[in-house]
Amino acid sequence: MTYYADRYFRPVFGSTRHLELRRSHVQQAVNLAPTESEGRNVRRAARSLVGALRQGDYLLENQVIDLATVWWHGARVVTVVEQSDGRVEFVPRSRRPTHDQVGALRESMTTRRRRGHKGWRALAVELAAYSGVRRGELAVLDDTAVHRDGRIRVLWRLETIGGPHLAPPKGNKRRWTTYPRVTPTGYPLAEAIDLRLEEIEAERAAGINPKGLLFPSERGTWLLGGNFHRDVFEPAALAADWPYIDEVKPWGEGRTRKQRSWALTWHSLRHTFVTWQLEDLDQPASRVATLAGHESAEFTIARYVSGAKDDIADSLQALGWASSGRTDASA
């Protein structure tokens, strides 16, 4: 918060009395961000700031600061690039957890007991790795979306901008995906899902999980991404020896902070799913794209199959020209 206050809030409304604070001030601060992504971060920080001011009675009851319509309106820079520079990023093998790494993460989830024991944590790992459901989609999966015949209906994801609420999946792609009876790690996934569905029925009856969520928070509500990463993923990944590096990054003016950067993240489990489907099960890219919610089979291939940088020399060689070692078309 200190970083955003120094860089965005103070230059815009640092001298403004709190009773005179308006939505327009926040909009100006958001527009100072150099990129749309940073603008979203400033908006989140502004929401926290407004909430703190209201909680401390620094704002009048009728002093409405509606951030629902505050978005980054900065200038988007359009650059001209070579055609080959705009292709989809290939996912290297180092960013795809192996089955052994998935099993290690699941085991560490099973044994850790910080803030209570949740039996569904191991299930969450295996389901993410072998159904391809994203973390935000997992957060809102309920007992009506997961079927006992190997199917999962992905209708929603958890969106936190503007407060936690349901939003369509990424790319607005609602889809069916599947899960195996037993995963490549030897985990009895179908059996674990059956057990979890029975637990949810009892939790609904007891009123502790009214939404019927597969993976609820301690309070029986949606488990937010930040809390999940801090309280669930990081301790388990450390125990499972998942690779990471500690970096020192700027934090405000003249300050730094240590930050752990993971070579493998929770999202990496989706890479395991796609690789398993394509290589172990030999499924066609079009089918895998449907299960994973990709925009097309071409996207799936570019991300997971064709990692070599295409070169004009390949075309020349196919046409029978002798390779000269030069790839610059203008030469």
Side-chain angles (χ1 to χ4, degrees):
M1 181 61 77
T2 302
Y3 168 80
Y4 294 109
D6 291 341
R7 184 161 185 176
Y8 301 107
F9 301 151
R10 189 170 287 117
V12 174
F13 52 81
S15 60
T16 303
R17 295 176 64 248
H18 54 85
L19 295 180
E20 298 173 352
L21 189 62
R22 298 291 184 269
R23 171 198 168 280
S24 60
H25 294 109
V26 178
Q27 181 65 72
Q28 293 176 48
V30 171
N31 285 347
L32 283 180
T35 64
E36 184 176 8
S37 176
E38 178 71 353
R40 288 196 294 268
N41 294 334
V42 177
R43 183 176 180 273
R44 294 190 190 102
R47 182 173 296 279
S48 299
L49 175 62
V50 172
L53 290 174
R54 196 168 298 283
Q55 187 174 9
D57 292 330
Y58 289 102
L59 301 179
L60 299 174
E61 291 185 2
N62 61 350
Q63 189 175 354
V64 178
I65 304 177
D66 184 12
L67 300 186
T69 57
V70 173
W71 300 101
W72 183 76
H73 298 151
R76 289 175 170 83
V77 179
V78 178
T79 58
V80 178
V81 299
E82 291 289 338
Q83 181 178 0
S84 61
D85 293 339
R87 65 174 66 133
V88 178
E89 179 188 3
F90 179 71
V91 180
R93 292 285 172 178
S94 60
R95 289 173 50 194
R96 309 185 197 186
T98 64
H99 299 315
D100 287 341
Q101 288 173 318
V102 173
L105 185 65
R106 181 244 304 161
E107 286 299 320
S108 64
M109 286 280 190
T110 304
T111 56
R112 70 175 286 272
R113 294 180 176 272
R114 180 183 173 191
R115 295 185 63 185
H117 177 71
K118 289 289 185 183
W120 54 250
R121 287 174 176 152
L123 171 61
V125 173
E126 295 282 350
L127 193 62
Y130 300 108
S131 72
V133 179
R134 299 179 178 91
R135 203 220 68 81
E137 297 164 349
L138 281 174
V140 299
L141 275 187
D142 60 22
D143 53 353
T144 66
V146 179
H147 299 259
R148 298 174 188 264
D149 59 1
R151 298 177 301 146
I152 298 176
R153 182 63 166 155
V154 181
L155 295 172
W156 305 101
R157 64 179 172 88
L158 180 62
E159 176 59 76
T160 56
I161 297 177
H165 62 276
L166 292 175
K170 184 177 180 180
N172 296 324
K173 285 184 174 290
R174 290 176 169 168
R175 68 188 191 279
W176 286 97
T177 188
T178 59
Y179 63 88
R181 294 180 184 274
V182 179
T183 70
T185 69
Y187 182 76
L189 184 54
E191 181 181 325
I193 287 177
D194 283 344
L195 178 60
R196 181 64 191 133
L197 293 177
E198 293 173 4
E199 291 174 348
I200 291 174
E201 186 176 352
E203 291 169 358
R204 275 186 183 274
I208 60 176
N209 186 6
K211 296 180 183 294
L213 299 172
L214 261 73
F215 312 115
S217 69
E218 297 287 338
R219 298 181 179 180
T221 57
W222 293 320
L223 185 59
L224 302 183
N227 296 343
F228 180 86
H229 183 83
R230 180 192 66 233
D231 298 334
V232 179
F233 170 75
E234 278 215 346
L238 284 170
D241 290 328
W242 273 29
Y244 69 89
I245 58 173
D246 284 327
E247 298 179 305
V248 178
K249 294 193 173 183
W251 185 249
E253 186 175 354
R255 300 169 59 190
T256 60
R257 69 167 182 173
K258 289 185 178 180
Q259 179 174 311
R260 181 178 293 127
S261 295
W262 291 92
L264 298 174
T265 65
W266 183 269
H267 185 78
S268 300
L269 295 172
R270 267 177 61 84
H271 303 328
T272 300
F273 168 73
V274 176
T275 303
W276 169 63
Q277 287 277 336
L278 289 172
E279 298 181 359
D280 296 9
L281 302 184
D282 198 25
Q283 295 294 295
S286 57
R287 183 175 303 158
V288 177
T290 299
L291 297 175
H294 289 164
E295 60 186 52
S296 65
E298 289 74 18
F299 177 91
T300 304
I301 293 172
R303 285 278 277 172
Y304 297 96
V305 179
S306 181
K309 182 176 177 61
D310 290 335
D311 199 289
I312 191 174
D314 298 331
S315 178
L316 291 172
Q317 185 176 4
L319 293 172
W321 293 95
S323 175
S324 63
R326 300 196 313 182
T327 60
D328 187 354
S330 64

